[in-house]
């Protein structure tokens, strides 16, 4: 569905100006959208899972831990598929932010996946510049992610940064020169991006960020060891179907219709689409790929990326 057709539907949560800004810039910040009681409930559940992490010596199916993790000082990088591990997170994913997704994707919306990311100011919490769709390509590009700050996030806490308008630009290579999937854009390609134009999105707890699946984004390291929990839920228009195998998704809610109806036909974008590696039982976290922990060559050279035209966010 094109932006014009989406905008023709009455908004549920966002203003028309916010919707138009999203289609123009590829991102959005809405401060204090989530009420304090909901945030408190999410934080209480999250604290329980952080306590469970103290028992871990290696990452589990639910919890990804970072270097230096210990019982005394947990270093949790991510809760994996929080919608699967606790109903509190799934209730949130199907609540007001699903209405936000419908305001930007159209009335029929499918859930894609969720994750809860942390930053601990250990020098390894930078998220390098990347795009989301190369991780989970779809038949069309009406795909977005909505983050919710569970604590106040200042410029020192490594807020989300987005390159305005980059969702209208090309896809970038996320393999390195050896054919290893790194989950980040090559330095040679970054040289062609106006990184100085990046907009960083700090906000008080309960604020949400939204970014398009093609938008180039990342975050700087934090300077405060407060965890900076960011709960992310990704959604797709119902007629945008994943290209890679269902086994790549580990949430039972993948493709669940959170708003409207399931699609019976896929809308196909004519532009060539990059493909991720064979995740083999489910993808690792972006931290593992970008740090080289999960590095391995692809079975065959993916070859040069085909030349693509600039695309509209449709």
């Amino acid at each position: 569905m094109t932006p014009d057709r989406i905008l023709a539907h009455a908004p549920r949560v966002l203003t028309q100006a916010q919707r138009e800004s999203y289609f123009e810039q590829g991102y959005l910040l809405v401060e204090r959208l989530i009420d304090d009681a909901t945030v408190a409930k999410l934080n209480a559940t999250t604290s329980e899972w952080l306590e469970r992490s103290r028992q871990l010596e290696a990452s589990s199916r639910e919890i990804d831990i970072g270097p230096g993790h210990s019982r005394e000082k947990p270093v949790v990088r991510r809760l994996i598929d929080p919608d699967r591990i606790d109903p509190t997170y799934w209730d949130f994913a199907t609540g007001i932010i699903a209405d936000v997704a419908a305001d930007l994707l159209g009335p029929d919306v499918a859930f894609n996946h969720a994750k809860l990311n942390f930053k601990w100011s250990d020098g390894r919490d930078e998220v390098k510049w990347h795009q989301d769709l190369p991780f989970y390509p779809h038949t069309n590009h009406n795909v977005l992610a909505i983050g919710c700050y569970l604590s106040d996030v200042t410029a020192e806490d490594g807020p989300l940064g987005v390159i305005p308008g980059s969702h209208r630009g090309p896809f970038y290579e996320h393999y390195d020169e050896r054919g290893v999937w790194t989950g980040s854009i090559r330095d040679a390609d970054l040289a062609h991006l106006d990184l100085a134009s990046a907009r960083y999105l700090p906000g008080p707890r309960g604020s949400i960020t939204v970014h398009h699946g093609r938008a180039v984004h990342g975050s700087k390291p934090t300077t405060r060891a407060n965890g900076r929990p960011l709960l992310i839920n990704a959604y797709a228009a119902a007629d945008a179907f994943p290209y890679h195998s269902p086994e790549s998704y580990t949430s039972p809610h993948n493709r669940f219709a959170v708003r409207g109806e399931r699609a019976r036909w896929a809308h196909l974008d004519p532009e060539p689409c990059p493909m991720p590696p064979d995740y083999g039982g489910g993808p690792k976290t972006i931290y593992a790929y970008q740090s080289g922990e999960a590095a391995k060559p692809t079975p065959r050279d993916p070859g040069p990326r085909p030349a693509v035209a600039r695309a509209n966010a449709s």
Side-chain angles (χ1 to χ4, degrees):
M1 187 176 289
T2 64
D4 286 345
R5 290 182 60 194
I6 294 170
L7 290 170
H9 290 269
R12 301 169 181 233
V13 175
L14 303 176
T15 67
Q16 199 73 343
Q18 288 171 324
R19 299 165 85 194
E20 291 171 355
S21 177
Y22 168 80
F23 288 119
E24 178 65 27
Q25 300 295 326
Y27 70 91
L28 201 60
L29 170 68
V30 184
E31 293 192 352
R32 303 184 188 278
L33 179 69
I34 310 304
D35 64 84
D36 286 342
T38 299
V39 174
K41 185 175 182 180
L42 289 166
N43 277 325
T45 300
T46 301
S47 294
E48 293 174 4
W49 282 93
L50 289 176
E51 280 301 308
R52 296 186 194 190
S53 78
R54 295 179 185 274
Q55 311 300 319
L56 297 179
E57 296 182 358
S59 295
S60 70
R61 171 65 185 80
E62 295 83 13
I63 303 173
D64 175 51
I65 62 173
H69 174 86
S70 67
R71 179 185 295 270
E72 295 73 25
K73 184 182 178 182
V75 181
V76 175
R77 297 188 295 195
R78 173 176 290 178
L79 295 187
I80 304 166
D81 296 331
D83 59 291
R84 181 184 65 85
I85 64 177
D86 196 289
T88 299
Y89 296 119
W90 178 237
D91 289 345
F92 179 70
T94 57
I96 189 172
I97 59 169
D99 287 324
V100 173
D103 280 346
L104 301 174
L105 296 172
D108 300 320
V109 179
F111 180 80
N112 186 268
H113 73 281
K115 53 210 170 194
L116 206 172
N117 292 344
F118 300 85
K119 285 176 173 281
W120 295 106
S121 186
D122 63 356
R124 292 183 288 261
D125 57 9
E126 175 187 18
V127 177
K128 299 176 183 178
W129 297 109
H130 66 285
Q131 297 165 297
D132 286 347
L133 274 169
F135 285 81
Y136 44 94
H138 280 62
T139 57
N140 71 72
H141 306 151
N142 270 356
V143 179
L144 55 75
I146 301 176
C148 178
Y149 290 140
L150 300 185
S151 62
D152 293 341
V153 174
T154 69
E156 291 74 34
D157 295 313
L160 176 73
V162 186
I163 308 297
S166 56
H167 65 306
R168 296 180 179 272
F171 282 115
Y172 291 97
E173 186 65 80
H174 287 62
Y175 292 87
D176 69 13
E177 293 77 4
R178 301 168 296 161
V180 173
W181 174 261
T182 64
S184 58
I185 298 172
R186 293 180 180 182
D187 290 342
D189 285 331
L190 290 177
H192 299 290
L193 280 162
D194 183 10
L195 299 182
S197 72
R199 296 290 183 267
Y200 291 91
L201 309 177
R205 59 182 263 161
S207 300
I208 67 163
T209 66
V210 187
H211 64 271
H212 191 281
R214 294 179 66 118
V216 175
H217 61 288
S219 63
K220 295 179 180 179
T222 61
T223 58
R224 299 194 300 175
N226 62 358
R228 197 220 73 171
L230 175 65
L231 177 57
I232 301 172
N233 286 276
Y235 302 89
D239 64 0
F241 287 80
Y243 269 124
H244 50 309
S245 66
E247 290 78 13
S248 297
Y249 289 101
T250 52
S251 167
H253 300 120
N254 179 250
R255 299 297 305 163
F256 184 92
V258 293
R259 291 294 181 270
E261 300 178 355
R262 295 174 60 91
R264 298 180 63 182
W265 291 75
H267 171 73
L268 304 181
D269 193 294
E271 182 181 1
C273 185
M275 295 297 289
D278 179 359
Y279 288 129
K284 306 295 183 184
T285 66
I286 193 171
Y287 306 105
Y289 289 120
Q290 291 194 350
S291 68
E293 294 172 29
K296 62 179 180 179
T298 54
R300 54 186 178 276
D301 185 351
R305 179 171 55 85
V308 295
R310 296 173 68 84
N312 292 325
S314 60

